[in-house]
């Protein structure tokens, strides 16, 4: 959809009726974008109280028609608001989201290749690390890829795959939080969700039972029969 042409406020002539309609439509579109933002993003925009209240009410509606009417009301409130800073802020957020998506996709391509055993791009990846750490990083990447393949074959939680993604991401985006590329710590900034935690606990318990069973069989000898 073509972006509506903004009204030129330096033009001495009053805006035409069609221009007013285009401006109104653009404000409603902007209001809709604001309504779809998470609360954490909205809190940074210092919206007028009435507009913030209307957006929060919109978020709580479930029926399509009610949301449509509330969106029209938001568009009307937008006409009482200085929309230019809000439009720039939303554009910046959308640009940031697109950049994040591109970064995620690039890292995922790297990981998928490594998990498939393709190391054609490995040296280019390793070159992103400090020279003194490159040998260690190369070894860690290969080890994580091997471990991830083994976990996939045994249907285990993808711990090594996640650790590989995190390491590759830090190589692409070096910063204070990734000054050390060590991966011995258990993902301090990526706590697993409850389901994954339960899955990991179940896996550990199953392994413990298997080890106990093997120990018991070794002690009792091969003649011991197991009843199911």
């Amino acid at each position: 959809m073509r972006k509506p042409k903004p009204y030129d406020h330096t033009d001495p002539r009053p805006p035409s009726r069609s221009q007013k309609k285009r401006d109104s439509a653009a404000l409603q579109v902007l209001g809709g974008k604001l309504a779809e933002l998470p609360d954490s993003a909205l809190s940074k925009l210092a919206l007028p109280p009435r507009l913030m209240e209307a957006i929060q009410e919109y978020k709580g509606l479930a029926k399509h028609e009610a949301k449509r009417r509330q969106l029209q009301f938001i568009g009307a409130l937008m006409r009482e608001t200085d929309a230019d800073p809000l439009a720039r802020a939303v554009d910046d957020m959308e640009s940031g989201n697109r950049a994040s998506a591109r970064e995620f996709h690039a890292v995922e391509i790297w990981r998928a290749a490594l998990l498939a055993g393709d190391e054609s791009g490995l040296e280019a990846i390793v070159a992103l690390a400090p020279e003194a750490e490159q040998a260690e990083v190369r070894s860690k990447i290969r080890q994580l890829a091997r471990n991830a393949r083994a976990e996939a074959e045994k249907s285990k939680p993808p711990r090594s795959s996640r650790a590989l993604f995190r390491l590759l991401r830090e190589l692409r985006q070096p910063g204070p939080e990734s000054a050390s590329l060590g991966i011995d710590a258990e993902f301090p900034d990526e706590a697993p969700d409850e389901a994954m935690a339960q899955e990991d606990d179940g896996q550990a318990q199953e392994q413990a039972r298997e080890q106990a069973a093997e120990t018991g069989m070794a002690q009792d000898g091969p003649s011991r029969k197991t009843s199911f």
Side-chain angles (χ1 to χ4, degrees):
M1 184 177 68
R2 182 180 297 176
K3 188 174 182 180
K5 184 179 179 181
Y7 172 63
D8 183 4
H9 294 279
T10 63
D11 190 335
R13 296 171 298 177
S16 64
R17 180 178 300 178
S18 59
Q19 181 62 52
K20 289 180 179 180
K21 288 183 178 180
R22 287 194 294 268
D23 290 347
S24 178
L27 288 173
Q28 187 165 326
V29 169
L30 177 58
K33 290 182 177 181
L34 290 172
E36 297 301 328
L37 290 176
D39 290 343
S40 58
L42 287 172
S43 65
K44 300 176 182 178
L45 298 180
L47 298 176
R50 288 185 65 201
L51 180 57
M52 176 64 85
E53 183 179 350
I55 289 175
Q56 293 299 338
E57 184 175 346
Y58 172 87
K59 289 175 176 289
L61 297 174
K63 294 184 178 180
H64 175 75
E65 181 60 23
K67 291 175 77 74
R68 186 188 67 81
R69 289 197 301 268
Q70 186 66 11
L71 195 57
Q72 288 180 335
F73 177 60
I74 290 173
L77 292 177
M78 291 293 298
R79 291 196 289 271
E80 304 171 5
T81 306
D82 184 4
D84 289 343
L86 296 178
R88 287 194 296 270
V90 170
D91 286 343
D92 289 344
M93 289 179 185
E94 290 180 340
S95 298
N97 290 338
R98 288 193 292 269
S100 297
R102 285 194 297 269
E103 281 297 307
F104 182 94
H105 184 61
V107 174
E108 183 55 36
I109 289 175
W110 281 0
R111 180 172 66 169
L114 291 166
L115 294 182
D118 180 3
E119 294 191 354
S120 60
L122 178 60
E123 292 309 312
I125 297 172
V126 171
L128 298 174
E131 186 173 357
E133 299 180 23
Q134 288 181 3
E136 181 183 4
V137 168
R138 182 185 298 106
S139 176
K140 286 180 178 179
I141 289 176
R142 285 173 168 164
Q143 183 64 51
L144 285 171
R146 287 195 297 269
N147 291 349
R149 288 193 289 269
E151 289 170 352
E153 290 172 359
K154 298 178 182 179
S155 299
K156 291 185 176 181
R159 291 181 173 275
S160 296
S161 181
R162 294 201 305 269
L164 178 59
F165 185 92
R166 181 169 182 262
L167 177 58
L168 296 174
R169 184 183 62 193
E170 290 176 354
L171 286 168
R172 280 186 66 91
Q173 300 176 332
E177 70 282 359
S178 58
S180 172
L181 293 173
I183 43 100
D184 296 331
E186 193 65 38
F187 321 118
D189 63 342
E190 294 181 4
D193 58 23
E194 184 177 353
M196 182 61 74
Q198 292 175 350
E199 183 179 2
D200 293 348
D201 290 343
Q203 186 69 36
Q205 292 173 4
E206 181 65 25
Q207 290 175 350
R209 286 195 293 269
E210 291 176 357
Q211 292 174 356
E214 291 174 358
T215 302
M217 292 175 65
Q219 291 176 349
D220 295 344
S223 61
R224 180 183 177 91
K225 294 183 179 180
T226 303
S227 60
F228 293 91

